[in-house]
């Protein structure tokens, strides 16, 4: 534990060195303590559902009802999910004036619910659905998922406003994320296996511009400068408390 403590203090010093020079990149792992399963690893969603059959845009077009049946299974889990101490720690880090932006691969909206005000949703969000025929957008929460796939009043199939494999990243999210990565001093990478592009390249874009990579994950997934190996819901509150201590001791 001593090692993690030493790494945590050093990482906190990097963040506390200059206000508003830290960005965060988050993945499914930060929402696991909120009850939302991750995708990869033991108990991950892709263990039960083959992403080739459920997560590509071609699979959705081929059989939208099948994909919506998977979505329906997790609708309650997502709706019941609340921010956990890891989300709340990132919101605190923004309130303290050190965290500038959260770039998230998650579509659950928990960073905004926790209080972060600048969140880039790299893979869209599940709050909206859109009609594939007329383009109309509706709040996802209003959908009654009895007959699947749900349809628009025009008869078109409705699709969650999230990025499926084979779809482009929303251009504004992509350009803003790269712009933030090239002008930060620390990129705090939390709860991602860093296997999916182009999100996985953001920490490297930051490093090429001189940033330090701080990783928070039970397993090291990046060549990070500081790796806090453990659960984010424990380590992020401790990291933010150390930043607050350093900031207060100035
Ligand atoms: N704290 C921190 N990290 C955790 C925790 C936790 N409590 N629990 C799990 N993790 C880590 C795992 O060790 C793993 O490295 O979170 C990571 C989750 O990895 P993935 O399931 O691959 O999720 P992610 O990296 O967000 O996936 C990226 O893949 O399928 C697509 O679009 C989907 O956005 C997703 C993308």
């Amino acid at each position: 534990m001593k090692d993690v403590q030493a790494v945590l203090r050093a990482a906190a010093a990097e963040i506390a060195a200059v206000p508003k020079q830290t960005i965060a990149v988050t993945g499914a792992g930060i929402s696991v303590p909120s009850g939302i399963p991750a995708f990869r690893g033991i108990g991950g969603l892709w263990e039960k559902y083959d992403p080739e059959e459920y997560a590509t845009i071609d699979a959705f077009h081929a059989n939208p009802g099948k994909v919506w049946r998977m979505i329906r299974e997790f609708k309650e889990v997502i709706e019941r999910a609340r921010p956990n101490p890891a989300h709340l720690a990132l919101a605190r880090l923004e309130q303290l004036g050190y965290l500038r932006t959260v770039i998230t691969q998650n579509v659950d909206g928990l960073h905004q619910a926790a209080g972060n005000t600048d969140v880039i949703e790299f893979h869209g969000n599940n709050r909206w659905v859109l009609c594939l025929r007329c383009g109309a957008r509706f709040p996802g929460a209003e959908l009654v998922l009895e007959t699947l796939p749900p349809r628009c009043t025009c008869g078109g199939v409705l699709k969650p406003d999230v990025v499926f494999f084979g779809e482009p990243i929303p251009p504004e999210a992509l350009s803003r994320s790269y712009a933030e990565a090239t002008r930060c001093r620390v990129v705090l990478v939390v709860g991602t296996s860093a296997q999916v592009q182009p999100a996985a390249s953001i920490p490297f874009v930051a490093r090429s511009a001189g940033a330090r990579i701080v990783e928070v994950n039970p397993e090291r997934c990046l060549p990070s400068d500081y790796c806090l190996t453990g659960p984010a819901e424990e380590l992020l509150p401790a990291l933010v408390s150390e930043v607050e201590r350093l900031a207060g001791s100035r």
Side-chain angles (χ1 to χ4, degrees):
M1 192 55 185
K2 187 176 105 15
D3 290 352
V4 173
Q5 283 309 318
V7 175
L8 184 145
R9 278 195 300 276
E14 292 280 9
I15 294 169
V18 185
K20 281 203 174 296
Q21 284 301 304
T22 295
I23 65 171
V25 174
T26 66
I30 198 170
S31 295
V32 164
S34 297
I36 301 175
F39 294 97
R40 296 169 184 82
I42 299 160
L45 194 66
W46 299 151
E47 255 185 3
K48 182 175 178 186
Y49 292 98
D50 179 352
E52 284 301 317
E53 290 181 40
Y54 288 91
T56 69
I57 190 58
D58 291 344
F60 185 85
H61 285 311
N63 192 337
K66 177 177 172 185
V67 177
W68 271 107
R69 276 189 290 282
M70 175 194 75
I71 294 169
R72 180 169 57 185
E73 183 179 325
F74 290 95
K75 185 167 162 48
E76 278 187 33
V77 164
I78 296 242
E79 284 171 353
R80 270 201 312 269
R82 294 292 176 268
N84 68 63
H87 294 108
L88 296 171
L90 289 185
R92 180 81 184 120
L93 195 58
E94 175 185 321
Q95 286 154 7
L96 289 171
Y98 288 91
L99 180 64
R100 197 169 63 218
T101 305
V102 176
I103 300 165
T104 187
Q105 300 172 84
N106 302 338
V107 299
D108 55 33
L110 290 180
H111 287 300
Q112 296 93 320
N116 280 100
T117 60
D118 187 6
V119 179
I120 300 173
E121 294 182 306
F122 209 70
H123 291 157
N125 65 67
N126 66 2
R127 288 187 301 283
W128 296 95
V129 293
L130 67 154
C131 174
L132 294 179
R133 178 184 291 176
C134 72
R137 281 160 61 92
F138 305 88
E142 284 174 10
L143 283 183
V144 178
L145 297 182
E146 276 163 11
T147 49
L148 296 180
R151 290 183 181 274
C152 176
T153 45
C154 80
V157 169
L158 296 177
K159 171 189 166 295
D161 197 12
V162 300
V163 179
F164 282 68
F165 286 115
E167 285 192 296
I169 301 298
E172 159 78 10
L174 189 65
S175 57
R176 264 209 70 208
S177 297
Y178 277 58
E180 292 294 342
T182 53
R183 59 187 195 91
C184 72
R185 195 175 176 283
V186 177
V187 54
L188 179 55
V189 186
V190 186
T192 180
S193 61
Q195 290 181 37
V196 173
Q197 295 298 350
S201 63
I202 296 170
F204 297 97
V205 168
R207 167 173 277 175
S208 64
R212 293 274 188 278
I213 301 177
V214 177
E215 183 179 11
V216 182
N217 194 319
E219 57 186 28
R220 178 189 277 266
C221 297
L222 285 166
S224 40
D225 298 285
Y226 303 94
C227 187
L228 301 178
T229 44
E233 64 274 27
E234 289 169 23
L235 290 170
L236 274 185
L239 180 69
V240 174
S241 297
E242 178 65 6
V243 171
E244 190 160 10
R245 188 186 69 80
L246 291 170
S249 61
R250 282 218 174 83

